[in-house]
Amino acid sequence: MNMRPETADSPRDLAHVGVSLPRIVDRSGTIIRDALRSSLAHDESFVYDMLRYYMGWGDETGAPVDASTGKAVRPALCLFGCEAVGGDAVRALPAAVALEFVHNFSLIHDDIQDEDETRHSRSTLWAVWGKPKALVAGNVLRSVADMSLEGLRDAGLESEVALTAISLLTESYLEMIEGQYLDLAFEGRHDICMDDYNRMISRKTGALIRCSLNIGAVVGTNDRETVSAFRECGSALGYLFQIRDDVLGVWGDEAVTGKPVGADIRRKKNSYPIVYTMETASQRDRDILARIYDKPELDAADVAQVLTVMENVGVQRRARAETGIWADRAMNALSAVDLRPEARRDFEEFTHFLMTRNR
């Protein structure tokens, strides 16, 4: 499959928000976007207009637009995993589409649970249409994802391989939901340690990213050792992705992320910066943080004080080191796999992108 680069004026060009996409993502953008649009090309219910709005293809009235969207990292990894082991990425496309829809289903529900009113600098579904309709729309999207997986058989996969892929995705999004529950359960608590945090993100974020490379490799080869290597690689990428995401949740540029600086502090989320700070700060600073986090709501002064304590323990520097460790583990997982030089180069570029992305 020839996944051609997109032109500079493509709707998926994110240069206007400071994002330069790595080749793994950029190369697959057109085919993934077209497949996603095709899967939501239904007109019989307004719920599909809501979903097209969430995907960045329509406005509140259903009229077509080209708004800022997600980067489609998970489907791109799925197609990369398939091609990297010598397979035809077209055969993995139904799974890639399903992965992106499951991811967005989780975001729709995440927006409701966190009461986030913006994502990608646009109003979220519940902020426009209310929580009940947004919940239904999210559930519809997950069902569309399940239906997309049926296309694996139409792509010529053996039934056993298709069933394996279906099982992997079902297991991973159950794990993802379990991780989201842990994330909610941890909010406001002061006793969350780094082991708890790692257990949570390995599910909430790591499950789908791991699954993306795992399914791609399963579709592309029947070599168990190779599939295992890609699964291990995806697991490491999950940690890398979420730690960077947590840094952006505190210090990200609002003009780029679409969320205010300190957003995760105001929500009292036990993300990497706060969990690491609570573990390493002095007793005096931990007491200060505990008093602040016991408040029903945090104001700007509270956020500023938390940021000061985080600066005292050097959490940004530690997070950068941590993402570097996970990037090395991801690369090392593929060290024994016979990859083409350009595939290894592209993957190195991709891990660097995850470490340095600004949204």
Side-chain angles (χ1 to χ4, degrees):
M1 169 183 153
N2 180 22
M3 295 184 292
R4 59 181 177 84
E6 296 183 44
T7 59
D9 59 351
S10 163
R12 284 200 53 81
D13 176 32
L14 302 180
H16 64 291
V17 289
V19 176
S20 178
L21 295 178
R23 281 181 290 268
I24 284 176
V25 177
D26 188 52
R27 190 169 59 240
S28 61
T30 298
I31 189 170
I32 290 171
R33 185 181 67 252
D34 289 349
L36 291 169
R37 285 178 179 269
S38 177
S39 297
L40 287 182
H42 300 277
D43 295 322
E44 65 271 20
S45 171
F46 185 74
V47 71
Y48 291 100
D49 285 331
M50 292 175 64
L51 293 176
R52 285 188 285 266
Y53 168 87
Y54 199 77
M55 298 298 293
W57 310 328
D59 64 13
E60 292 91 337
T61 69
V65 298
D66 286 320
S68 176
T69 64
K71 295 174 285 295
V73 164
R74 292 153 190 83
L77 281 176
C78 181
L79 299 189
F80 168 77
C82 184
E83 281 200 321
V85 300
D88 180 358
V90 170
R91 304 178 81 190
L93 188 57
V97 168
L99 282 158
E100 184 64 5
F101 283 152
V102 166
H103 172 57
N104 279 275
F105 141 73
S106 75
L107 296 182
I108 291 171
H109 284 204
D110 192 48
D111 291 338
I112 296 169
Q113 290 156 1
D114 290 341
E115 297 192 329
D116 279 337
E117 296 185 1
T118 60
R119 184 178 292 275
H120 302 312
S121 301
R122 306 180 81 205
S123 296
T124 52
L125 280 191
W126 78 267
V128 178
W129 288 286
K131 293 178 180 179
K133 289 182 179 178
L135 281 170
V136 171
N139 292 339
V140 168
L141 193 58
R142 202 206 73 178
S143 297
V144 172
D146 291 337
M147 292 174 61
S148 176
L149 283 174
E150 296 299 320
L152 289 171
R153 294 188 180 91
D154 296 336
L157 289 183
E158 296 177 2
S159 294
E160 183 178 353
V161 176
L163 287 172
T164 297
I166 293 170
S167 178
L168 284 171
L169 184 56
T170 302
E171 290 171 3
S172 72
Y173 71 64
L174 173 59
E175 198 175 348
M176 174 194 70
I177 294 169
E178 292 170 348
Q180 176 64 9
Y181 172 80
L182 287 175
D183 190 26
L184 292 170
F186 288 168
E187 286 187 14
R189 289 175 54 183
H190 313 317
D191 60 340
I192 303 304
C193 64
M194 289 305 301
D195 286 344
D196 295 325
Y197 169 82
N198 287 330
R199 179 164 56 92
M200 181 266 291
I201 67 169
S202 71
R203 290 167 169 79
K204 179 185 174 183
T205 303
L208 273 191
I209 292 178
R210 181 181 67 241
C211 182
S212 300
L213 283 174
N214 196 2
I215 288 182
V218 163
V219 173
T221 181
N222 59 6
D223 184 83
R224 291 186 178 182
E225 290 187 3
T226 298
V227 170
S228 178
F230 273 81
R231 177 182 175 85
E232 182 181 348
C233 174
S235 180
L237 286 182
Y239 288 105
L240 163 56
F241 189 99
Q242 187 59 53
I243 292 170
R244 180 61 183 170
D245 214 49
D246 286 353
V247 169
L248 294 175
V250 174
W251 293 283
D253 182 349
E254 182 176 0
V256 176
T257 65
K259 295 185 179 182
V261 173
D264 283 357
I265 294 175
R266 287 184 180 273
R267 274 209 307 267
K268 298 190 284 188
K269 292 183 72 68
N270 276 296
S271 62
Y272 184 94
I274 192 63
V275 175
Y276 178 82
T277 300
M278 287 293 287
E279 278 205 349
T280 58
S282 66
Q283 185 61 52
R284 176 180 175 277
D285 281 345
R286 287 201 297 271
D287 291 342
I288 290 173
L289 292 177
R291 285 197 299 271
I292 290 174
Y293 272 58
D294 278 339
K295 294 182 176 182
E297 294 184 3
L298 307 190
D299 58 25
D302 294 325
V303 172
Q305 195 163 14
V306 173
L307 288 171
T308 297
V309 177
M310 288 180 174
E311 184 178 350
N312 290 341
V313 301
V315 68
Q316 284 198 73
R317 181 175 64 253
R318 176 58 194 171
R320 284 195 297 270
E322 189 79 8
T323 56
I325 290 169
W326 288 113
D328 288 343
R329 290 186 182 180
M331 288 300 306
N332 290 338
L334 299 183
S335 60
V337 178
D338 184 22
L339 294 180
R340 292 174 290 107
E342 57 268 29
R344 197 172 299 278
R345 176 206 64 198
D346 287 351
F347 188 72
E348 289 176 355
E349 178 199 42
F350 178 78
T351 56
H352 178 73
F353 165 77
L354 290 189
M355 291 174 62
T356 59
R357 64 191 178 91
N358 59 2
R359 63 164 290 183

